[in-house]
Amino acid sequence: MKVKTFEDAITKEDLEDLKESISTQDLPSAINTIKDYLKQQDLVELNVGVTGESGSGKSTFVNAFRGLGDEEEGSASTGVVETTMIPDVYIHPNYKNVKVWDLPGIGTPNFKANEYLQQVQFERYDFFIIASDRFKECHTHLATEIMRMGQTIDYRSIDASFDV
């Protein structure tokens, strides 16, 4: 069965159709219809880009989101300097359709703010989480470009020293 993208997720119209459909069914048929609907939701692929400056705690956030410590097997590599050099994808352990992307840090010599979105292939993500201890000029540029492309942003102030 083909995995749907976030944009292909069930709309409000689909929910209304579902509601109308089960209102005319007997209880066992309605239960089966609802179960089928819930299975479809597990097929919706969600790609989350975690971005921010180098050393801001992006990889630690990715690990914590997945229930892992920084030193555990399968965790994202962490460091206080530029560690992530290419977008790395991590599958959530409980939600196989959720892909969390650990992105390189913005604003370094390797990832300049004005080239960053193209370098990390921003179009592949359904929304972004910007990790930082404070909002800076590079984040403003990043947020503006992401919104211009019609994407969603969630800004989180992250203390890179937190324990999982």
Side-chain angles (χ1 to χ4, degrees):
M1 194 175 277
K2 185 177 184 285
V3 175
K4 296 180 179 182
T5 63
F6 187 68
E7 290 82 20
D8 295 331
I10 294 179
T11 64
K12 287 183 181 180
E13 292 81 19
D14 293 331
L15 289 175
E16 288 300 319
D17 289 346
L18 176 66
K19 183 178 165 183
E20 186 178 323
S21 174
I22 62 174
S23 69
T24 61
Q25 296 176 347
D26 61 16
L27 187 58
S29 298
I31 290 170
N32 286 333
T33 300
I34 292 170
K35 283 182 181 179
D36 289 342
Y37 168 78
L38 293 173
K39 285 179 189 175
Q40 289 177 24
Q41 297 310 297
D42 289 339
L43 299 176
V44 175
E45 184 176 281
L46 180 63
N47 289 281
V48 180
V50 180
T51 186
E53 290 179 295
S54 180
S56 64
K58 297 178 303 298
S59 300
T60 297
F61 175 83
V62 168
N63 292 335
F65 182 75
R66 297 173 53 235
L68 297 174
D70 288 345
E71 304 301 321
E72 290 186 51
E73 184 177 333
S75 66
S77 297
T78 59
V80 293
V81 295
E82 198 169 20
T83 304
T84 306
M85 299 304 291
I86 60 169
D88 288 324
V89 65
Y90 297 91
I91 307 298
H92 192 281
N94 299 325
Y95 306 99
K96 304 299 184 200
N97 56 321
V98 176
K99 295 180 178 182
V100 183
W101 292 82
D102 186 13
L103 302 180
I106 187 173
T108 67
N110 292 316
F111 297 96
K112 294 177 177 58
N114 61 340
E115 302 169 352
Y116 184 77
L117 289 178
Q118 288 73 28
Q119 288 178 300
V120 299
Q121 301 174 331
F122 69 95
E123 68 279 351
R124 99 172 21 153
Y125 313 106
D126 298 307
F127 72 90
F128 293 85
I129 295 173
I130 300 176
S132 178
D133 58 346
R134 60 191 167 289
F135 206 77
K136 299 179 183 172
E137 184 179 350
C138 65
H139 301 123
T140 301
H141 174 74
L142 181 61
T144 301
E145 288 300 309
I146 292 170
M147 289 187 310
R148 187 176 64 77
M149 300 308 292
Q151 297 285 25
T152 304
I153 304 165
D154 183 27
Y155 175 76
R156 293 287 171 219
S157 179
I158 295 178
D159 178 0
S161 65
F162 70 86
D163 291 326
V164 177

